Amino acid sequence: MIKPIQIYYVLLKVFLLTGIVFFSACGGDNIVTSRPPNLSGIEKILILPFKDMAAVFGESVNGRCPVCGKVFTTGEVAEGAAAMLTEHLFILLKDQKNIELIPSSQAQGVMSGLLAGSNKELLERDLQLEIGRELNADAIFIGYIYRFRERVGTQYSVDSSASVAFDIHLIRVKDGRVLWSAHLDETQQPLSDDLFRLKVFLKRKAKWITAKEMAISGLEDMLKDFYIPAETETLENR
């Protein structure tokens, strides 16, 4: 006679085996990117510092991205989070062939000079593009961080899980056109609350990750298919 406990383990094994295939196929994550950009004519890219939007809107409100208009729920942004994201964006792109990166450190002095010499208050986008022109950049990377809440607990047990929301945009300097955008908006949940994220759950080895780990993993996924060689340019992209 088969014991109930044996039936339970058999059913659990069947569920996991079929679930891995099913959920991996239809279960996405919380990263959304536009199609890879056409970088024809883009040789120098300036990376501007990420901006803390919780400091602009306040916490626990719906804040709209100044570039794409997407709405994010703001929250606590840990100290140093914006600088960390800026640094890792540079690190992930620095070995990109055919692109020269200009680090964010070069932008600060130019920004101060522009603001000091201006007789009128520049709009943020105009200021960002003008900094790019001053540094002879063909495009600028700008990023906004809305939430960066660290987990409370350990990798196996938490009182509060990590929660991260940010976006990045590549903008052409000569005309202000947005060439590419991506965003991450995630609060880690237990698998029992979101079975469609089984693939992500397994990737993270069934652990509660830190906000930094979540953010860096998100950046890596965003930039996986970032570069398109100029020779693959299509008429549609022109």
Side-chain angles (χ1 to χ4, degrees):
M1 179 178 179
I2 301 177
K3 296 180 180 180
I5 190 67
Q6 293 175 314
I7 296 175
Y8 169 80
Y9 281 118
V10 169
L11 291 175
L12 178 62
K13 186 174 182 180
V14 170
F15 168 79
L16 289 175
L17 289 174
T18 57
I20 287 174
V21 176
F22 175 75
F23 291 124
S24 294
C26 67
D29 49 31
N30 292 329
I31 297 170
V32 177
T33 65
S34 58
R35 66 181 183 179
N38 166 29
L39 296 183
S40 178
I42 304 297
E43 297 178 355
K44 295 179 69 174
I45 298 178
L46 167 64
I47 295 181
L48 290 172
F50 273 75
K51 183 173 181 177
D52 179 354
M53 299 303 282
V56 175
F57 296 120
E59 295 185 16
S60 302
V61 299
N62 290 328
R64 191 176 296 277
C65 171
V67 175
C68 67
K70 177 176 171 55
V71 175
F72 296 87
T73 301
T74 63
E76 173 189 352
V77 174
E79 184 177 357
M84 184 276 294
L85 282 171
T86 305
E87 177 186 1
H88 277 276
L89 179 59
F90 182 86
I91 290 172
L92 290 171
L93 290 172
K94 67 182 178 67
D95 295 327
Q96 187 69 264
K97 295 180 180 179
N98 303 322
I99 293 178
E100 178 185 346
L101 287 185
I102 305 173
S104 61
S105 57
Q106 293 190 31
Q108 190 58 50
V110 174
M111 182 186 299
S112 300
L114 288 172
L115 292 176
S118 178
N119 294 323
K120 61 179 180 178
E121 185 177 350
L122 290 172
L123 295 175
E124 182 176 55
R125 175 69 68 82
D126 293 335
L127 178 61
Q128 292 164 339
L129 293 174
E130 191 58 37
I131 293 170
R133 295 185 188 103
E134 289 288 325
L135 292 172
N136 296 315
D138 300 304
I140 56 174
F141 251 124
I142 58 177
Y144 299 97
I145 179 169
Y146 305 88
R147 196 172 65 250
F148 196 98
R149 187 188 71 206
E150 194 51 87
R151 76 179 183 202
V152 178
T154 68
Q155 58 184 322
Y156 297 110
S157 176
V158 295
D159 295 319
S160 177
S161 61
S163 181
V164 172
F166 67 89
D167 58 11
I168 52 177
H169 311 275
L170 181 68
I171 300 176
R172 191 161 59 193
V173 167
K174 70 178 182 179
D175 56 7
R177 179 185 176 187
V178 179
L179 300 177
W180 179 83
S181 294
H183 71 260
L184 166 68
D185 190 352
E186 179 181 2
T187 300
Q188 190 176 12
Q189 303 289 339
L191 181 61
S192 59
D193 289 353
D194 190 358
L195 291 174
F196 285 98
R197 292 182 57 77
L198 180 60
K199 182 179 179 180
V200 177
F201 178 81
L202 295 175
K203 177 182 177 181
R204 292 171 176 173
K205 301 178 181 178
K207 296 178 182 179
W208 295 97
I209 63 174
T210 65
K212 181 177 179 179
E213 289 170 334
M214 182 181 289
I216 292 176
S217 175
L219 273 177
E220 289 174 346
D221 288 340
M222 288 175 181
L223 298 170
K224 272 190 308 189
D225 302 317
F226 176 76
Y227 180 65
I228 296 180
E231 57 266 23
T232 65
E233 179 183 4
T234 65
L235 290 175
E236 182 182 0
N237 289 333
R238 290 178 183 174

